[in-house]
């Protein structure tokens, strides 16, 4: 069965960096677009970033553009989110999600989330 | 930039009743509209995509309709496990942008 397992979350000071990973299994990772979605405590869902199946295209929400970088290693079935210049407002649960196609489609499968807390 | 809005913010329904949730886009999104359900402490679950197509394993009690700027999610005969927050989402192939609505909480 499809599994997505996030790791790398934690507490970090404002301005510092953190890298999240998402280990995928149960499907052909290199065939699907992948996403990061976040949810601040008690708030709604916010899409963060997408990367196409082969890494040829990526895009970001305006709120993270220039600070976050999404990447993937298809040989390791792993998705990454490099988060730099973190702000207090980046505090959230970060979910990785698999699109339902190779490019831009709704999110059929989700991980359980990694918590990121930005605080001094 | 397309803005998604949902109404009402909270919908109080009795078990066995029907729930009708609305989602509006600030400009036409065609049928590129999905609905998700999220229960407390859980990841979201895809219910509907392409405005009206049920995702794999989703029961027929969930139905979606609409196109352009106005969309509806209908949940017939609510059960206890259906009380949750429901989000609509616009998805765009190019540029790849995905926008969630603020959500509708369905409670007892």
């Amino acid at each position: 069965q499809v599994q997505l397992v996030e790791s790398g979350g934690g507490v970090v000071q404002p301005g510092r960096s953190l890298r999240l990973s998402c280990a995928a299994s149960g499907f052909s990772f290199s065939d699907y677009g992948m996403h990061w979605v976040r949810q601040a405590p008690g708030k709604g869902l916010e899409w963060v970033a997408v990367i196409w199946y082969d890494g040829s295209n990526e895009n970001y929400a305006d709120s993270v553009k220039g600070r976050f970088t999404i990447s993937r290693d298809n040989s390791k079935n792993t998705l990454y989110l490099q988060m730099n210049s973190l702000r207090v407002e980046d505090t959230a649960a970060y979910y990785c999600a698999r699109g339902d196609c190779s490019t831009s489609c709704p999110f059929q499968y989700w991980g359980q989330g990694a918590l990121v807390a930005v605080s001094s | 930039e397309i803005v998604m809005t949902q109404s009402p913010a909270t919908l109080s329904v009795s078990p066995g009743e029907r729930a009708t949730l609305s989602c509006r886009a600030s400009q036409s999104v065609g049928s590129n509209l999905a609905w998700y359900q999220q229960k407390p402490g859980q990841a979201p679950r895809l219910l509907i995509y392409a405005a009206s197509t049920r995702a794999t394993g989703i029961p027929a009690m969930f139905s979606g309709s609409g196109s352009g700027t106005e969309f509806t999610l209908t949940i017939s005969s609510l059960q206890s496990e259906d009380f949750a927050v429901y989000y609509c989402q616009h998805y765009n192939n190019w540029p790849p942008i995905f926008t969630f609505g603020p959500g509708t909480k369905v409670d007892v």
Side-chain angles (χ1 to χ4, degrees), chain A residues 35 37 39 43-47 50 52 57-60 62 95 100-101 103-113, chain B residues 1 34 36 38 41-46 48-50 55-56 87 89 91-102:
Chain A
H35 303 260
V37 177
Q39 187 169 36
K43 303 298 184 182
L45 301 170
E46 180 187 16
W47 170 75
V50 59
W52 284 12
N57 282 294
E58 57 195 67
N59 200 19
Y60 302 88
D62 287 344
Y95 296 97
D100 211 22
C101 68
T103 55
S104 304
C105 289
F107 311 159
Q108 176 70 49
Y109 295 98
W110 297 66
Q112 283 307 301
Chain B
E1 177 192 354
Y36 297 83
Q38 187 180 32
Q42 295 186 18
R45 176 174 71 144
L46 177 66
I48 301 286
Y49 64 94
T56 303
Y87 296 93
Q89 177 204 42
Y91 52 96
N92 194 57
N93 193 54
W94 192 262
I97 294 176
F98 305 80
T99 307
F100 287 98

Side-chain angles (χ1 to χ4, degrees), chain A residues 72-90:
Chain A
R72 64 191 297 159
D73 186 335
N74 284 347
S75 68
K76 295 183 178 179
N77 292 344
T78 302
L79 176 73
Y80 303 100
L81 184 68
Q82 178 67 42
M83 303 184 291
N84 298 332
S85 303
L86 281 161
R87 304 168 180 169
V88 171
E89 55 265 34
D90 295 320

Side-chain angles (χ1 to χ4, degrees), chain B residues 1-93:
Chain B
E1 177 192 354
I2 295 176
V3 177
M4 308 300 294
T5 57
Q6 291 185 243
S7 61
T10 302
L11 183 62
S12 295
V13 184
S14 298
E17 291 187 339
R18 170 192 296 244
T20 302
L21 289 65
S22 295
C23 174
R24 176 175 293 178
S26 59
Q27 58 187 277
S28 177
V29 298
S31 295
N32 289 355
L33 193 284
W35 289 94
Y36 297 83
Q37 176 195 65
Q38 187 180 32
K39 298 178 183 179
Q42 295 186 18
R45 176 174 71 144
L46 177 66
L47 299 175
I48 301 286
Y49 64 94
S52 61
T53 302
R54 278 188 299 277
T56 303
I58 301 303
M61 61 179 293
F62 293 95
S63 63
S65 64
S67 65
T69 62
E70 301 282 343
F71 301 88
T72 299
L73 175 70
T74 302
I75 313 169
S76 63
S77 189
L78 271 151
Q79 306 302 310
S80 58
E81 61 267 27
D82 304 321
F83 292 96
V85 180
Y86 293 82
Y87 296 93
C88 63
Q89 177 204 42
H90 163 55
Y91 52 96
N92 194 57
N93 193 54

